[in-house]
Amino acid sequence: MQSYTEENYLKIIYHLSAVNNPVQTNAIAERMQTKAASVTDMLKKLSEKELVDYVKYQGVTLTEKGKLTAINIVRKHRLWEVFLVEKLNFKWDEVHEVAEELEHIKSTLLVERLDEFLDFPKVDPHGDPIPDQHGNFADLSFIKLSKLKVNEKGTITGVSEHSSPFLKHLEKLGLTLGKKIEVSEIIDFDGSVELLIDSEKLNISREVAKHILISK
């Protein structure tokens, strides 16, 4: 049985490993907002539990057992986010912190009942895929809005930036999940994008466009 802190480490290592694997101690320390020495101590504990393979100065990788544990935490987190938005009327920028607490609930039966109650959702309120009980993710294909060319169309199906200010900004602009968009112009000067949404034009920065995920 893992502690809350151990579970948080496994989840962070899992997310960081999608970018760089092995994951470096300093990267974990930055995400955990703690000292590298504290990270090293935790990695040794996780290694003893056969959840990670840790080599000093080389970084850390998740074992198969550690990876499945991390994916299960991600599964719970994203299911709870769906529940909070769909059943308790939370906004998509309000759910992360609450789900961070709920993801540590141990009951497997509760999680499976929750999944069934929500009709087995494939994505969370931010468009992130929800793994099934076996750790398998739905095959979802996204493209960054910033990669679309003029006259290309698509549907907003996710975001790669989950901070509350960013999500509130999208909400204010009306750029929410399921919204259909068309690129009408790309400004050469700064890479900003003019969108056509419901016959209305909207300008967004290139930085915002980079974090909006589109399915075509």
Side-chain angles (χ1 to χ4, degrees), residues 78-92:
R78 293 177 180 174
L79 282 172
W80 282 119
E81 286 195 336
V82 175
F83 176 77
L84 291 167
V85 169
E86 290 190 359
K87 306 303 179 183
L88 298 186
N89 299 318
F90 278 71
K91 293 183 178 179
W92 68 343

Side-chain angles (χ1 to χ4, degrees), residues 67-82:
K67 184 178 179 181
L68 288 173
T69 302
I71 289 174
N72 185 51
I73 299 163
V74 170
R75 168 173 163 76
K76 289 187 285 184
H77 183 101
R78 293 177 180 174
L79 282 172
W80 282 119
E81 286 195 336
V82 175

Side-chain angles (χ1 to χ4, degrees), residues 27-57:
I28 301 170
E30 184 178 342
R31 285 287 291 272
M32 292 294 293
Q33 297 183 325
T34 190
K35 296 177 181 177
S38 299
V39 173
T40 300
D41 290 341
M42 177 56 74
L43 294 181
K44 288 177 181 176
K45 288 181 183 178
L46 294 174
S47 182
E48 288 170 4
K49 292 187 175 184
E50 299 181 345
L51 294 165
V52 303
D53 289 321
Y54 172 59
V55 180
K56 195 174 182 180
Y57 305 124

Side-chain angles (χ1 to χ4, degrees), residues 78-202:
R78 293 177 180 174
L79 282 172
W80 282 119
E81 286 195 336
V82 175
F83 176 77
L84 291 167
V85 169
E86 290 190 359
K87 306 303 179 183
L88 298 186
N89 299 318
F90 278 71
K91 293 183 178 179
W92 68 343
D93 61 287
E94 298 174 329
V95 295
H96 182 71
E97 287 76 13
V98 183
E100 286 273 291
E101 298 179 33
L102 293 169
E103 71 187 23
H104 297 293
I105 292 174
K106 304 296 183 186
S107 173
T108 302
L109 179 60
L110 174 61
V111 176
E112 299 317 317
R113 292 279 175 85
L114 177 65
D115 193 18
E116 182 180 8
F117 177 66
L118 296 171
D119 198 24
F120 307 104
K122 293 291 187 291
V123 294
D124 72 7
H126 310 108
D128 293 320
I130 299 173
D132 65 18
Q133 60 184 327
H134 305 295
N136 300 312
F137 289 85
D139 186 17
L140 304 173
S141 57
F142 301 132
I143 184 172
K144 293 180 180 180
L145 197 159
S146 58
K147 297 292 186 183
L148 294 184
K149 297 180 174 61
V150 173
N151 297 326
E152 285 194 308
K153 301 177 182 179
T155 303
I156 298 176
T157 46
V159 292
S160 58
E161 167 61 61
H162 293 174
S163 68
S164 183
F166 180 72
L167 295 174
K168 285 179 179 177
H169 181 59
L170 293 189
E171 189 91 28
K172 187 176 179 181
L173 295 174
L175 297 175
T176 50
L177 297 191
K179 186 71 72 174
K180 296 186 183 301
I181 60 95
E182 179 179 351
V183 175
S184 57
E185 187 178 357
I186 299 172
I187 312 303
D188 289 336
F189 174 65
D190 59 1
S192 58
V193 181
E194 183 180 83
L195 301 176
L196 195 60
I197 307 172
D198 300 328
S199 301
E200 299 282 335
K201 288 187 176 181
L202 174 69

